[in-house]
Amino acid sequence: MAVAAALSVSNRLLTVAAALLCIMAAQLATASCSPEPAPYAARALISR
C-alpha cells in the first residue's frame, strides 16, 4: 500500500515537473525573440 501511494505521488510530481519545464521552455523561447518595433506614435515626444 505504501508503494502504491509513493508511486501515485511520484506520478503526480512528474506531471507537475513536466508542466513547469514546458512553461520555462516557452518563456525562454519568447524571451529570445526580438521585440516588435513600437509604432511611431508611441515613441513620439508630446509637448504642449
Side-chain angles (χ1 to χ4, degrees):
M1 181 143 175
V3 174
L7 286 176
S8 67
V9 169
S10 174
N11 287 338
R12 288 180 189 168
L13 289 178
L14 186 63
T15 304
V16 170
L20 287 175
L21 285 175
C22 286
I23 290 172
M24 289 169 51
Q27 286 181 343
L28 284 175
T30 56
S32 66
C33 296
S34 60
E36 295 182 8
Y40 181 75
R43 290 182 280 146
L45 179 64
I46 300 174
S47 60
R48 291 186 176 179

